[in-house]
Amino acid sequence: MFFAAILSTHRRVAISAFQSSSSLTTSRIISRPIATQTSRILLSAESSGGGRSSAAVVDKDLVSKTSNTSNDTNKQQKKVALDTNPPKGTRDFYPPDMRLRTWLFNQWRDVAALYGFSEYDAPVLESESLYTRKAGEEVTQQLYNFVDKGERNVALRPEMTPSLARMVMAKKGGLPLPLKWFSIPQCWRYERMTRGRRREHYQWNMDIWGVDGIEAEAELLSAMVTFFKRVGLTSDDVGIKVNSRGVIGEVLTELGVPEEKFAATCVLVDKLEKVRDLGFVCLVLD
């Protein structure tokens, strides 16, 4: 009974409110929730082609416009097959090769430490002028050189000695002498490849500065022999020949070779020796 009375009361209030609002504008009487109005607008626009509408509802080509399945796009997305070979003249070091290389490098480091040498390194990338200062040298014809994004002429190092000289000069006499340094640099030369000779290689460098006599040369020769013995090489496997540029200079002068041809002649003599017997190590003493 109480619930029925409440409904009756609400009904009378609603009828009274409707009658009292008959004087209001039509827009007030037909006002509806926003969601209902929006649905009517969209349906009306879709059927008549006019009025406000959502691009997502009206544009039937929207899916094709946002798809990457066109023929032109497919052509652009075709990938070139990856070449799994390293650049010509270089090589990969798989774990077995890396273990062998690490063993060899450790042998070099142990011998260098035994003779009191300190290890150093320098950038693989150097200024091109560091190697082109001496015109006519063979190395200038074998440079991996290019212009970088800063318009600088640079080159991959073909040898370590110029970098060492640059580092010593940068200290302006501040390094204690005698200087005994060693390095195991990766070097690059763009040259014709032969058996066992690539365009990149590692080498063991031992340098002594500040000793005028032949003691430095004797120490280096002793270090080389120590290394050979440690890895099981004897005089039956390898030989050492000592060369002096001073002696060569005197001989070439007696033979009438002009001074400007000295460097080129030394290169020829050096290559003739390598061609005759590749099993010998040649140590050049400056």
Side-chain angles (χ1 to χ4, degrees):
M1 290 291 295
F2 179 73
F3 182 67
I6 292 177
L7 289 178
S8 178
T9 302
H10 281 193
R11 187 177 301 158
R12 287 196 301 270
V13 172
I15 294 173
S16 174
F18 178 77
Q19 291 175 348
S20 63
S21 64
S22 59
S23 60
L24 298 177
T25 61
T26 304
S27 62
R28 288 285 299 277
I29 295 174
I30 63 173
S31 61
R32 299 179 180 85
I34 296 176
T36 305
Q37 293 184 36
T38 304
S39 301
R40 293 285 182 87
I41 293 172
L42 293 176
L43 291 173
S44 174
E46 187 173 4
S47 60
S48 62
R52 295 167 56 196
S53 63
S54 169
V57 175
V58 177
D59 193 348
K60 299 181 183 299
D61 297 327
L62 184 62
V63 175
S64 63
K65 288 180 179 179
T66 57
S67 175
N68 291 328
T69 58
S70 64
N71 292 333
D72 292 340
T73 304
N74 285 339
K75 291 179 181 179
Q76 294 175 359
Q77 290 181 345
K78 286 184 179 178
K79 296 182 179 179
V80 179
L82 176 65
D83 185 2
T84 58
N85 295 316
K88 188 175 182 180
T90 65
R91 62 170 295 184
D92 296 316
F93 287 88
Y94 287 89
D97 303 317
M98 196 64 190
R99 285 193 292 270
L100 180 59
R101 195 186 84 175
T102 301
W103 172 83
L104 177 62
F105 286 11
N106 286 340
Q107 293 293 330
W108 287 342
R109 288 189 171 96
D110 290 345
V111 172
L114 181 64
Y115 282 81
F117 285 74
S118 300
E119 187 171 9
Y120 76 99
D121 200 0
V124 176
L125 190 68
E126 289 275 16
S127 298
E128 183 186 65
S129 59
L130 191 64
Y131 310 108
T132 57
R133 293 168 62 90
K134 293 184 178 180
E137 292 284 351
E138 182 187 25
V139 66
T140 61
Q141 308 300 321
Q142 300 174 349
L143 286 179
Y144 264 100
N145 56 331
F146 56 94
V147 179
D148 67 7
K149 294 181 180 180
E151 300 299 323
R152 292 174 287 264
N153 294 319
V154 294
L156 299 178
R157 65 184 177 203
E159 57 188 11
M160 198 61 170
T161 303
S163 296
L164 172 62
R166 176 183 59 75
M167 292 173 64
V168 173
M169 292 173 62
K171 292 300 182 179
K172 299 178 180 178
L175 294 172
L177 298 177
L179 179 149
K180 296 173 63 176
W181 287 1
F182 84 95
S183 61
I184 309 175
Q186 182 187 34
C187 299
W188 298 78
R189 291 200 181 196
Y190 194 91
E191 58 181 336
R192 186 176 64 85
M193 293 184 297
T194 57
R195 183 180 178 182
R197 191 176 185 89
R198 301 174 183 268
R199 289 173 177 169
E200 63 158 345
H201 68 276
Y202 291 88
Q203 64 186 42
W204 180 31
N205 284 11
M206 300 180 71
D207 295 277
I208 300 178
W209 287 49
V211 177
D212 296 329
I214 63 172
E215 296 85 359
E217 284 77 7
E219 186 173 3
L220 292 173
L221 288 171
S222 177
M224 292 173 63
V225 172
T226 300
F227 163 72
F228 288 140
K229 288 182 177 180
R230 284 196 170 204
V231 298
L233 296 175
T234 68
S235 57
D236 295 331
D237 305 304
V238 64
I240 300 175
K241 290 188 175 182
V242 180
N243 179 35
S244 172
R245 285 182 179 266
V247 174
I248 291 179
E250 292 293 332
V251 173
L252 294 181
T253 300
E254 291 294 327
L255 294 175
V257 177
E259 184 178 353
E260 61 270 16
K261 298 291 185 180
F262 175 76
T265 305
C266 287
V267 171
L268 293 175
V269 173
D270 181 52
K271 288 193 175 297
L272 287 174
E273 181 63 32
K274 290 178 181 178
V275 170
R276 285 208 308 267
D277 192 346
L278 297 177
F280 278 82
V281 177
C282 183
L283 175 65
V284 177
L285 306 179
D286 291 323

